[in-house]
Every structure is written in structure tokens, then in C-alpha cells.
Amino acid sequence: MKFMKLGSRPDTFYTAESVRTVSSEVLSDLTIEVKGTKYLLHKFPLLSKCLKLQRLCYETTQEVIQLSDFPGGIEAFELCAKFCYGITITLSAYNIVAAQCAAEYLQMTEDVEKGNLMYKLQVFFNSYILQGWRDCVVTLQSTKAFPLWCEDLGITSRCVESVAWKVSTNPSKASLSHSHSRRVSDMSCNGTESWRHKPVTKCWWAEDMAELGIDLYWRTMIAIKSGGKIPSNLIGEALQMYASRWLPNISKKVKANRGGTSDSDSDDDVSSKHRLLLETIASLLPSEKGAVSCSFLLKLLKAANVLNVSLSSKMELARRVALQLEEARVTDLLIPSLSDSSDTGSGYDVDIVLTILEQFMLQGQSPPTSPPRLKLGSERRRRSRSAENIDFEFQESRRSSSASHSSKLKVAKIIDGYLQEIARHSNLPLSKFIAIAETIPYFSRLDHDDLYRAIDIYLKAHPGLNKSERKRLCRILDCKKLSVEACMHAAQNEKLPLRVVIQVLFFEQTRAAMAGGKVADLPSNLNALLAAHNIDPSRPQGTLSTSTSIRSYDQWSISGLTSPKSRTSTLRMKLAEDDHLDEFDVNTDGMGRHSKFKAFCALPTGPKKMFSKLLSINRSGSEKN
């Protein structure tokens, strides 16, 4: 870093009986008190360079001149006093701000004496501080101690402009300090170790800027963004580095504070500062999609929930997350909610995830299925440039539609995994579980294995659900999209409603018959049922993917289900428990309506008759084999 030395005399200031004085053959004739410290000095060297001290000596009749509002404290005052005595002083980026404010306060200008301190400080500031990167950043950071003085002197604005200019230009054109250059060669922008001789990265400026306070950081980032030369992804990377510097473990700290481990006033003050910091970072996020990762946005949303930021800020973050929800992980969506108590609540904000999901589904509307047709024959024969543009735009829209469909497939897998996590909590309302599951479009789930797993977990965690609630929960499940393993597990799942078990067995038997090549020998009534559900008996149905990873205690046990005898005993037990099953369900509001199961499967009257027909099909197939 750059520094400047002024004066040539040795330092003769010393302390005697709590009073600072200077060694001299001449007795002191001027007593000044600064911030509780007394100085015994001489009028001649000080008054010749400090216009303010001249006026105070002529105007006051007191023996001690009080400088209670002196900026910079005793260190800055001694710099000015030693300059007047010709004692050597060293100026750098760490003390130039305090020295400038002190010299301005004492009015050490050119009007009083040529080559005064203010002039020398301005030359050093313009020629060296503003030209170097690290010096400029340190000086800018020092201005937070004297905000009003620095604004009046123009120090803050000039430092902000200089930093923004250096960021916007090629790093090779900026005069970087030795310490910064060495650190850049040893550390990459994200803080991980890199090769020793790695060249300066495009985000070389983010690490030093992360040391700025939030007000100065906001002003500097606004100046950088207004230049329009920095890509949005670099802006996002810098914001992520700043957030990781100032927002570590927010949820743990706030939870500990709210648990009564510290003073409430200090807690509110800390939370207020973090809240302002978070809202400022959110306001600086680039508008372009992909400028920051979805994981980073969800971390900000978690912190926003914990700090109880404004609803508008939370909704804006939720909207930003929805733009790139396909990049999220299940753990990222487990957003804490401090409104729920730890012993009875899940601690997760399900409503904000539902909002994110709804925002995601509102995007990516499908384009028209065919391009606009040209009406005139001559226009058909002679393609104009505008027609080519129409076709090009149509092809682009087709590609964007495909990408949107692909993202919905990814989001469906993510949400099914999220449902498995939140289903374990006993206080999760059934309505919220169903609302999240039903937000995913039907075509976005290629298979329903993950959804069935989530339903099974929910049934285990909520044993008090009545029959109507269990039926309502299972209506979101499509048994035709279950794999063989999932069907075998569902066939012995005692927590499932009887109708679901019958439906699972029906499709399992149908799939087994088609896979065995005996589809042509199916009875007419079963062929009618298959036709009613748009199932082509002549075309085999492929087994759906079951590669989704699950926890060890959630693995499905399929022992004892390899023979029709086991399935028969399971279903007979179900029939004995629910022999009074009819064609109507009762909703929670008491209104009767036709069963979705009958409308979906169109099974013959009476589940026992249906199962007997299925068994007869199985027997006939085995006899023919």
C-alpha cells in the first residue's frame, strides 16, 4: 500500500501526569483539550497553520480551549499538531480520512499558509489513493467513521466512483496492491484454493469489496451495475460472497436469541441490522435468470423467514426462486418457520413452498402447435424475410416449450422428495399435503412411485386419519403409474383404503397378463374394462422407472407377495374389515358424491366379485401354461 511521510524532525511528544506535551526549551502557552486529553503546546507553530485555533484564541477568555467535537479523536489531532511542529508523520489509506477531516476542522488551508496540510493530503489522495485498488477500498471503508464529513469533502463519492471504474475496466489496467495480487493468485473468487500462478479472475474485486459496510457496498454496487459492463453472473457471484461474509448461520443465532439466551434489546438490534442487510442484498440481485443459483436464493429466503423481513421482500425472493426451481434440492426447500414450536410443529414453512410452486406453474405457457398460415398463393410460393422470421420464432418457442416441460419433470421429482420429508411431521395438515401434491400437473409425473412413498410416510406419521381422509389422500395417486415393486408393497399396505388395494391388484394382474403374452385370451369383460381406461391389450406396457433413491427405513418390503395366495389373503382381510363399502364417499363437509374410484376404474358391482374374476383369470392363465 502507498504511504507518504511529511516532516523531518523526530517525535518529541510525551506524556507526563496524564497530559500530553512536546519537549521544547520554550514553555507552553497553549492548552487544548481533545476528547478528555489535555495538550500543553505552543501558539506559534499551531496558530500559524490553523485558522480555527487563531479565532478561538482571540474569541475565548478561557485558559483551556475545548475541542469536544473534534473528528478523528486524539490520533488525528496529534497528526495535525506534529505537522505544525515539523515532526515526521506517516500517512496512508488507514489514516488519511481522519487526517483530512481533522485538517478541515482546524482549517489548515492554503489561505492560511502555502503548502498547508490540506493541500498535501489532497495531492496524496488524488495521486496515489484513488489510483490504487486496495488503497481506495480501505479508504472507502474508513469513511464510515465520519459519514457527514466525508460527504461534504467528497471523499466517499470519489472513492465509490474510483472503485466502480476499476471494476468495470480490465484488471490489468487497474493498479492492484501487492497484497491483493498475492491473495488473488492464491485464492479463487469463491474462496477455494487455486493454483499458485493462476491469472487474475474476472471476479477479482468481490473479496475486497465484501469488507465494506452495507451502505457503502450498496452505493458501490449501484455504481458498478449502472456502468453496464459487468455481466450479471459476476454481480450475482459478488453478492453471494458478500452474503456468506455477513449472513452466517442466521437461523441458529436468532433461534438461540429467541430462546432467551441473550438480552432482548440487543437481539432486536442485531435482527434489525441483519434484516436491513438481507433486504439490501435482495434489492441488488440482477434481474436476469440464472445470475445467481437457486440454492443461494433459497438460502436468502430461509434467512428472510427467520429474520421476519417484509412480506414484499419474501414474495419477490419466492418469485425469483420459481424462475429456476428445477435447480433446487429437497434440502433447500426445507425452509424454517419460527412460528411453529419445536415440540409440536414441523418447523417448515409449507405455505411459502406452495407459493413458489404456484409461481413456477404460471410460467412457460405452451406456444401454438403450428405456425401462422399464409393466406395468399403468391405469398406461399415466394417466402419473404418476415415469413422466415415467423418460422424461426416458432422453432425457438418450440424449444422453449420443450425446456419448460423438461423443467416441470425435474420439479415433479423434487416436490415428491419434498413431500416425503414434510410427511414425517405429525402436525402437517392433510389439506396442505394434498395442495402441494396436486399443484404438479399429471403429465409431469412419469411414475407415481415417489408420490406413493410420500403417501405411505404420511399415513404412518398420521395414524389417526379416518377412512374418508385416507380416501381423500389416496385420490391423488394413479395406480397405473406404479411400478411392480410399488404395487406389491401397496397390495399388503394395511393403511391404504380398500378400494386402492383393489385398484392396485387389478392393474397388477392386467400387467402380468399382458407381460405373459396371454392378452388375446382375456375374457370379454376384462377387455371391456381395459378399453374403458384406454389400455390397448395388444401393446405391452413398459415397467416404469423406480431408480429414485430412498432412505433405508423407507425401503419397501415385498416378502410374501410373490404368489397369488399371499395377495388373496391380504385382500380377503381387507374385505372382512370393509365389507360395507358402497359406491358413494362422504366428503369432510358431509356432502355425498359419486366415488372417484368407480368413475376411474369402472369396476363391476361389489369388490368381491371383481377379485373373483381376477383370480379366475390368473388360474386360467396358469392352466394354459
Side-chain angles (χ1 to χ4, degrees), residues 467 498 502 571-582 606-609:
K467 186 187 304 182
L498 176 61
I502 297 175
L571 186 56
R572 284 177 178 173
M573 179 183 63
K574 287 285 185 178
L575 291 171
E577 294 175 355
D578 199 6
D579 195 34
H580 61 283
L581 190 65
D582 57 9
K608 289 185 178 179
K609 295 181 179 179

Side-chain angles (χ1 to χ4, degrees), residues 420-421 424 453 456-457 460 489 550-557:
Q420 295 174 38
E421 290 294 329
R424 308 176 193 279
R453 189 177 294 111
D456 182 53
I457 295 173
K460 292 178 181 178
H489 182 275
I550 59 176
R551 303 186 182 184
S552 59
Y553 50 81
D554 286 336
Q555 295 289 345
W556 299 335
S557 174

Side-chain angles (χ1 to χ4, degrees), residues 330 413 416-421 424 447-457 460 483 485-486 489 545-558:
V330 174
K413 300 291 290 185
D416 286 347
Y418 174 76
L419 288 172
Q420 295 174 38
E421 290 294 329
R424 308 176 193 279
D447 63 77
H448 278 216
D449 284 9
D450 290 338
L451 181 60
Y452 169 71
R453 189 177 294 111
I455 292 174
D456 182 53
I457 295 173
K460 292 178 181 178
S483 64
E485 292 81 0
H489 182 275
S545 173
T546 58
S547 60
T548 305
S549 60
I550 59 176
R551 303 186 182 184
S552 59
Y553 50 81
D554 286 336
Q555 295 289 345
W556 299 335
S557 174
I558 59 174

